[in-house]
């Protein structure tokens, strides 16, 4: 191997192959290059078979890139190597051994929408009100329980003194029962069941410990508890584990990521070696210096600083807009200006903290005729017609999948109404059998007499398609499913603009299956369904398409663009208002800012607004503390270098703004000044409001001349009120 093109620290990381290794890889430091060369180096110097190497990353995009690059070095041998995401690796293990946990190897994987549907069924059976137990919140609690390896029984044991959590435990228990009856796993189950399988079956664990003599894990800072346990168990025998990551880019706490996994690696593996990759090949010196200045304000981190041999580069361009519309116009104008000077639209990415920020930016891009794509919006596989056909394919593959049965039984309409489905659900609950089994024998149930013929006909069709699957090519089989189920004929007969769009999307779906068939050695319906279940938002990003990219900062991690707009740099937006009560959360927001800054290669733009309308409410904005942390020498505002530290949001309003807006500003300023000098409110205070009655302050955010109060009123309503305007009285 020729390692001459690697820098000294990269060479060291490639050549240190025995024992535990922690590679702290800063943004743009060439970690994928290191991992790929490390794999080849292990094979060359240790004569290790690819079969004995496990390389894990977080996204399909990253896994595919690694596979391609490894393949260029070692050729066909790479097909014997496990290079995949955590979930894909775990699914592979479960396909072989999940029968030990009481599931069938043909299990299906439920996505977020499927999970919500099953949850709603649980609520109905348990007679629980979504208002008192919001589904999103309950799903999050159950997800955290699974990450901590708590079964429903163990969850009950932990929360027995808490009535509310006990009720959530009942949902958890019924939810898991329904999943198992459908022979289905959700995303958390994939990890949970794999760890459980390995813990409870020493012979299976030993098999994979022997198999994986060398283990590499990318993005280790993003691992949760289950992922940590999975890797730790596999690495325990040979201890040839190399984890690569950057604690400064740990931004997925909301998904369960635990930054302590990377910070405590040296404690778990006492003889580990730490190698720092600090040379950045991506960004200009100015961009890196700004990123370092921001992240050095965090205390819970390992010491390192990015540096580069790249040119110094342009200063960061700051635009302070009057409102979000002005901000969006500026962004559109800069992109159009760049395009006219010879740049591509794809050179520009617009990043924001929340998806809600994209609407105004999209509107201005459309008005300027700038082509764009929102990454992380409605995914192709989330469209109704695609979910419908996937529902058919899942039911054919696994007739016990009652969720898919419910989805497709009346797509297209078959005269099997809601009442019949409810009766079938009651029978299913009473006798613990799937909806498909009931449909197959519908004439045995007196209360299904009106729909029995239709149900039997439907089940016969599914069974016939199941037989056809064994003898047909996958693409031809899916075409047959579209026609035999009546789904495609119904769309053709509908003959509307919408139905034509759906037909086009189904054509694209067939293209996806055809592509899968060409690229897989042993294509199967099971393999295809598994693949699309594990597709993430970022997998839809096509670097070859000449469009401007819009995405959240979380979605942008791992990507890079010549020009980046970091929009909405205001307190309460970024950092988010939810993070302000905790130093730990603020540090995560700062890491998110560091990630955003380091996506830019050549030019970074930072934009913010003096006022912004969020969820229908317009309010004055203060500049983000993270903007304050960037030294003035790296910033230029609309072409003018800063003369002092203050970025004043109360500077003169541009002349282009109408007198009406000026008057509105005066009114807001007057209202804000009307507040008493001492805002004497605290969390927990009981207050009274003329319209909403009495309530309790549950959260409070102080500003220079005002305070944002969250008040839960005794009526059950929760309101967010500005103290200056609310006229609250303490009780």
């Amino acid at each position: 191997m020729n390692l001459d093109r690697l820098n000294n620290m990269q060479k060291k990381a490639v050549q240190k192959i025995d024992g535990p290794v922690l590679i702290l890889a800063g943004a743009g430091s060439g970690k994928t290059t290191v991992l790929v060369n490390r794999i080849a180096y292990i094979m060359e110097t240790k004569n290790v078979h690819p079969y004995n190497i496990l390389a894990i990353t977080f996204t399909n995009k990253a896994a595919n890139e690694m596979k391609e690059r490894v393949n260029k070095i070692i050729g066909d041998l790479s097909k014997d190597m496990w290079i995949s995401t955590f979930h894909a690796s775990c699914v592979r293990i479960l396909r072989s051994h999940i029968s030990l946990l009481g599931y069938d190897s043909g299990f299906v994987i439920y996505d977020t929408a499927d999970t919500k549907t099953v949850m709603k069924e649980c609520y109905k059976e348990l007679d629980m009100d979504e208002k008192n137990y919001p589904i999103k919140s309950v799903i999050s609690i159950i997800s955290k329980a699974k990450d901590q390896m708590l079964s429903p029984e163990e969850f009950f044991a932990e929360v027995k003194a808490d009535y509310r959590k006990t009720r959530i435990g009942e949902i958890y228990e019924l939810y898991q029962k329904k999943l198992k009856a459908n022979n289905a796993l959700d995303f958390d189950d994939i990890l949970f069941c794999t760890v459980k399988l390995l813990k409870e079956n020493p012979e299976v664990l030993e098999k994979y410990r022997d198999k994986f003599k060398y283990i590499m894990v990318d993005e280790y800072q993003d691992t949760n508890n289950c992922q940590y346990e999975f890797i730790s168990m596999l690495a325990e025998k040979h201890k040839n584990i190399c984890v690569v990551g950057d604690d400064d880019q740990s931004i997925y706490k909301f998904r369960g990521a635990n930054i302590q996994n990377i910070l405590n690696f040296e404690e778990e593996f006492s003889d580990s070696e730490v190698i720092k990759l600090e040379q950045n090949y991506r960004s200009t010196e100015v961009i890196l210096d700004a990123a370092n200045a921001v992240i050095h304000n965090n205390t819970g981190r390992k010491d390192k600083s990015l540096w580069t041999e790249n040119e110094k580069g342009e200063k960061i361009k700051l635009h302070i807009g009057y409102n979000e519309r002005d901000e969006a116009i500026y962004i559109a104008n800069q992109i159009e200006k760049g395009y006219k000077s010879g740049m591509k639209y794809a050179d520009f990415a617009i990043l924001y903290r929340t998806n809600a920020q994209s609407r105004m930016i999209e509107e201005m891009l459309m008005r300027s005729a700038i082509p764009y794509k929102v990454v992380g919006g409605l995914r192709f596989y989330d469209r109704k017609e695609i979910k419908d056909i996937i529902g058919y394919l899942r039911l054919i593959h696994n007739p016990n999948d009652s969720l898919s049965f419910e989805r497709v039984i009346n797509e297209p309409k078959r005269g099997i109404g809601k009442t019949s489905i409810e009766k079938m659900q009651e029978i299913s609950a009473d006798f613990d059998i799937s909806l498909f089994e009931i449909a197959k024998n519908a004439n045995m149930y007196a209360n299904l007499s009106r729909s029995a013929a239709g149900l039997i006909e439907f089940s016969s069709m599914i069974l016939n398609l199941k037989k056809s699957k064994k003898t047909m090519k996958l693409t031809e089989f899916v075409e047959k499913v579209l026609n035999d189920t009546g789904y495609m004929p119904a769309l053709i007969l509908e003959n509307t603009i919408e139905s034509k769009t759906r037909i086009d999307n189904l054509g694209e779906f067939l293209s996806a299956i055809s592509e899968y068939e060409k690229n897989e050695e042993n294509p199967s319906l099971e393999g295809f369904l598994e693949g699309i279940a594990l597709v993430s938002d970022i997998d839809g990003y096509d670097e070859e398409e000449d469009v401007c990219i819009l995405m959240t900062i979380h979605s942008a991690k791992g990507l890079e663009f010549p020009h980046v707009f970091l929009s909405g740099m205001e307190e309460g937006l970024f950092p988010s208002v939810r993070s302000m009560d905790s130093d730990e959360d603020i540090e995560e927001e700062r890491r998110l800012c560091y990630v955003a800054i380091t996506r830019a290669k050549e030019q970074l733009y930072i934009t913010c607004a003096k006022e912004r309308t969020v969820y229908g409410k317009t309010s004055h904005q203060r500049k983000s503390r993270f903007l304050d942390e960037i030294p003035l020498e790296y910033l230029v505002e609309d072409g003018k270098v800063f003369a002092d530290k203050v970025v004043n949001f109360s500077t003169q309003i541009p002349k282009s703004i109408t007198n009406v807006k000026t008057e509105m500003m005066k009114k807001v300023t007057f209202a804000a000044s009307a507040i008493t000098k001492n805002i004497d409110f605290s969390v927990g205070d009981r207050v009274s409001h003329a319209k909403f009655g009495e309530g309790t302050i549950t959260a409070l955010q102080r500003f220079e001349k005002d305070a944002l109060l969250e008040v839960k009123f005794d009526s059950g309503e929760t309101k967010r009120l500005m103290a200056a305007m609310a006229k609250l009285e303490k009780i």
Side-chain angles (χ1 to χ4, degrees):
M1 286 185 66
N2 183 2
L3 303 179
D4 289 347
R5 59 194 181 86
L6 304 183
N7 67 42
N8 290 336
M9 295 309 287
Q10 288 177 329
K11 281 183 192 173
K12 187 176 180 182
V14 166
Q15 294 172 330
K16 172 60 183 169
I17 57 177
D18 292 320
V21 182
L22 168 60
I23 300 174
L24 288 173
S29 61
K31 66 184 175 66
T32 306
T33 298
V34 167
L35 279 171
V36 167
N37 281 278
R38 198 172 188 276
I39 288 169
Y41 191 80
I42 289 170
M43 289 176 60
E44 183 176 283
T45 59
K46 293 289 184 178
N47 197 26
V48 171
H49 194 278
Y51 175 88
N52 297 123
I53 297 173
L54 171 66
I56 298 252
T57 186
F58 270 80
T59 66
N60 292 323
K61 184 177 183 296
N64 290 334
E65 182 188 349
M66 196 181 293
K67 280 179 191 172
E68 286 172 16
R69 291 174 65 173
V70 168
N71 192 56
K72 284 179 183 175
I73 299 176
I74 67 172
D76 286 344
L77 286 171
S78 65
K79 71 176 185 287
D80 295 326
M81 192 181 301
W82 283 33
I83 302 177
S84 62
T85 63
F86 270 102
H87 284 88
S89 296
C90 288
V91 165
R92 199 165 171 179
I93 291 172
L94 291 173
R95 289 285 179 213
S96 299
H97 307 285
I98 199 168
S99 59
L100 294 168
L101 297 179
Y103 290 81
D104 183 84
S105 63
F107 63 85
V108 293
I109 301 167
Y110 280 180
D111 64 14
T112 307
D114 298 327
T115 293
K116 285 181 181 174
T117 303
V118 178
M119 278 287 174
K120 285 182 178 178
E121 289 177 8
C122 294
Y123 276 56
K124 190 175 176 183
E125 285 186 33
L126 294 170
D127 194 26
M128 292 178 71
D129 190 345
E130 280 187 47
K131 290 179 183 176
N132 297 327
Y133 297 88
I135 282 186
K136 195 173 179 182
S137 171
V138 170
I139 288 173
S140 176
I141 291 168
I142 292 173
S143 178
K144 285 174 185 172
K146 289 182 181 179
D147 184 42
Q148 296 303 315
M149 293 305 297
L150 295 176
S151 65
E153 297 75 25
E154 290 164 328
F155 182 81
F156 271 125
E158 283 210 356
V159 303
K160 58 188 175 186
D162 187 319
Y163 173 76
R164 180 179 173 77
K165 287 187 178 174
T166 300
R167 290 289 280 160
I168 292 171
E170 291 174 28
I171 301 171
Y172 182 14
E173 184 177 51
L174 183 57
Y175 172 69
Q176 290 305 121
K177 183 182 175 185
K178 284 181 175 292
L179 287 185
K180 197 158 190 179
N182 289 350
N183 197 36
L185 304 180
D186 65 19
F187 285 117
D188 294 315
D189 285 328
I190 292 171
L191 300 171
F192 176 90
C193 288
T194 306
V195 173
K196 180 178 168 68
L197 173 77
L198 297 178
K199 279 185 173 180
E200 294 179 357
N201 298 275
E203 70 288 354
V204 177
L205 175 57
E206 194 61 25
K207 172 187 172 179
Y208 288 100
R209 277 180 176 168
D210 284 338
K211 174 179 170 59
F212 298 126
K213 293 182 169 62
Y214 288 87
I215 297 173
M216 275 160 280
V217 186
D218 192 12
E219 305 287 7
Y220 193 66
Q221 77 280 349
D222 294 333
T223 52
N224 61 23
N225 182 63
C226 266
Q227 290 160 338
Y228 163 80
E229 288 204 43
F230 173 64
I231 289 298
S232 295
M233 281 194 290
L234 291 181
E236 194 172 317
K237 185 170 186 176
H238 298 289
K239 290 190 166 51
N240 294 324
I241 177 170
C242 170
V243 302
V244 184
D246 182 4
D247 52 302
D248 288 335
Q249 295 186 73
S250 178
I251 59 171
Y252 293 118
K253 183 184 173 188
F254 69 98
R255 288 186 193 165
N258 185 355
I259 193 174
Q260 297 305 317
N261 291 346
I262 192 168
L263 294 178
N264 297 337
F265 181 82
E266 295 151 272
E267 291 178 24
E268 186 191 356
F269 296 96
S270 55
D271 55 344
S272 60
E273 182 164 349
V274 179
I275 300 169
K276 295 180 183 180
L277 304 182
E278 296 171 290
Q279 183 175 357
N280 176 284
Y281 292 90
R282 176 190 297 158
S283 306
T284 64
E285 189 180 316
V286 164
I287 290 168
L288 291 185
D289 287 346
N292 286 329
V294 171
I295 201 63
H296 283 169
N297 287 280
N298 273 6
T299 56
R301 63 186 294 267
K302 289 182 178 287
D303 183 46
K304 59 187 172 303
S305 286
L306 292 181
W307 61 276
T308 186
E309 292 179 349
N310 294 345
E311 61 183 19
K312 189 170 184 66
E314 296 286 329
K315 289 179 183 285
I316 296 164
K317 293 182 179 178
L318 173 67
H319 176 77
I320 303 169
Y322 174 70
N323 56 21
E324 68 268 31
R325 184 185 181 84
D326 182 34
E327 176 190 43
I329 290 170
Y330 170 79
I331 291 171
N333 287 343
Q334 292 301 308
I335 294 171
E336 193 56 37
K337 187 177 168 185
Y339 183 73
K340 285 177 179 174
S341 71
M343 297 177 199
K344 296 187 298 181
Y345 287 121
D347 289 339
F348 296 90
I350 304 164
L351 309 184
Y352 33 77
R353 179 65 182 82
T354 66
N355 278 309
Q357 290 170 249
S358 78
R359 185 193 62 80
M360 183 58 73
I361 296 170
E362 286 188 68
E363 187 178 317
M364 290 305 130
L365 293 178
M366 283 189 283
R367 289 189 180 193
S368 302
I370 295 173
Y372 70 91
K373 180 176 183 178
V374 179
V375 176
L378 182 63
R379 299 185 309 157
F380 176 75
Y381 290 106
D382 287 336
R383 299 177 193 276
K384 180 188 181 301
E385 60 276 14
I386 304 303
K387 287 189 77 69
D388 284 346
I389 191 61
I390 288 171
Y392 271 114
L393 296 176
R394 291 202 320 195
L395 185 63
I396 292 163
H397 171 61
N398 172 24
N400 287 330
D401 184 0
S402 291
L403 191 66
S404 292
F405 180 96
E406 286 180 48
R407 181 173 192 96
V408 302
I409 186 64
N410 259 332
E411 293 290 348
K413 299 294 182 190
R414 294 188 175 88
I416 299 166
K418 187 179 177 184
T419 305
S420 295
I421 299 297
E422 287 175 349
K423 287 173 181 174
M424 292 177 75
Q425 287 171 338
E426 288 171 9
I427 296 167
S428 175
D430 290 342
F431 297 99
D432 198 21
I433 52 177
S434 71
L435 297 182
F436 186 82
E437 281 296 314
I438 297 166
K440 203 164 62 170
N441 303 292
N443 54 358
M444 294 172 55
Y445 304 98
N447 56 352
L448 294 178
S449 57
R450 292 181 66 181
S451 54
L455 288 168
I456 292 169
E457 185 182 345
F458 175 80
S459 60
S460 297
M461 176 191 69
I462 296 296
L463 290 172
N464 286 334
L465 286 168
K466 195 172 179 68
K467 286 177 189 172
S468 301
K469 177 172 74 89
K470 297 174 183 176
T471 58
M472 299 179 74
K473 283 189 173 180
L474 191 55
T475 309
E476 293 170 359
F477 169 69
V478 176
E479 286 175 354
K480 181 177 174 62
V481 171
L482 282 168
N483 288 313
D484 287 9
T485 58
Y487 198 90
M488 186 65 88
L491 287 176
I492 293 168
L493 282 172
E494 188 180 318
N495 195 29
T496 62
I497 300 277
E498 186 181 8
S499 69
K500 287 174 183 175
T501 302
R502 289 182 171 176
I503 290 168
D504 288 343
N505 287 336
L506 289 169
E508 185 62 27
F509 182 74
L510 286 169
S511 299
I513 290 173
S514 177
E515 190 178 331
Y516 165 77
E517 271 193 302
K518 286 175 189 171
N519 295 331
E520 283 294 318
E521 236 179 280
N522 298 301
S524 66
L525 178 58
E526 176 187 282
F528 179 75
L529 291 173
E530 181 181 301
I532 59 176
L534 299 178
V535 165
S536 67
D537 291 341
I538 200 64
D539 295 324
Y541 168 50
D542 180 2
E543 293 177 27
E544 300 303 313
E545 200 176 356
D546 190 20
V547 293
C548 174
I549 296 298
L550 281 71
M551 62 174 79
T552 64
I553 303 166
H554 282 100
S555 294
K557 186 169 172 293
L559 301 177
E560 57 184 45
F561 304 90
H563 293 245
V564 169
F565 291 89
L566 177 48
S567 63
M569 282 289 279
E570 301 141 31
E571 286 289 295
L573 192 56
F574 193 22
S576 74
V577 69
R578 292 192 187 95
S579 68
M580 293 187 170
D581 292 333
S582 159
D583 290 341
E584 187 181 324
D585 289 343
I586 285 291
E587 293 216 344
E588 173 131 344
E589 291 283 298
R590 188 174 283 110
R591 292 194 292 271
L592 192 59
C593 183
Y594 173 81
V595 166
I597 292 171
T598 54
R599 297 313 92 196
K601 295 165 72 175
E602 299 167 17
Q603 181 68 66
L604 176 65
Y605 301 81
I606 294 177
T607 64
C608 46
K610 295 174 185 176
E611 67 174 44
R612 188 176 295 272
T613 303
V614 182
Y615 303 119
K617 184 175 181 180
T618 302
S619 60
H620 265 311
Q621 300 295 97
R622 295 176 61 206
K623 69 181 186 299
S624 168
R625 68 189 71 188
F626 303 146
L627 186 50
D628 257 347
E629 292 168 0
I630 299 174
L632 291 175
E633 63 192 275
Y634 305 135
L635 292 167
V636 58
E637 183 186 5
D638 291 341
K640 182 180 177 182
V641 179
F642 276 100
D644 56 48
K645 181 68 179 170
V646 179
V647 182
N648 188 356
F649 274 34
S650 299
T651 52
Q652 185 180 351
I653 297 167
K655 291 177 182 177
S656 60
I657 305 301
T658 64
N659 287 333
V660 175
K661 289 180 179 176
T662 306
E663 286 303 310
M664 187 169 70
M665 277 286 286
K666 286 178 182 176
K667 287 177 184 175
V668 173
T669 306
F670 175 79
S673 63
I675 192 167
T676 54
K677 290 182 181 178
N678 182 24
I679 304 169
D680 189 21
F681 291 115
S682 302
V683 173
D685 282 354
R686 292 283 294 167
V687 292
S688 175
H689 186 275
K691 180 179 178 182
F692 304 118
E694 295 183 356
T696 304
I697 296 176
T698 54
L700 181 150
Q701 179 192 349
R702 295 189 187 279
F703 300 110
E704 191 177 343
K705 294 182 179 179
D706 208 341
L708 175 63
L709 310 175
E710 184 172 279
V711 184
K712 184 169 184 180
F713 289 96
D714 296 349
S715 63
E717 283 187 288
T718 297
K719 297 285 183 183
R720 296 178 74 202
L721 307 167
M722 296 305 292
M725 308 287 284
K727 297 180 182 177
L728 289 170
E729 290 182 10
K730 274 193 180 184
I731 300 174

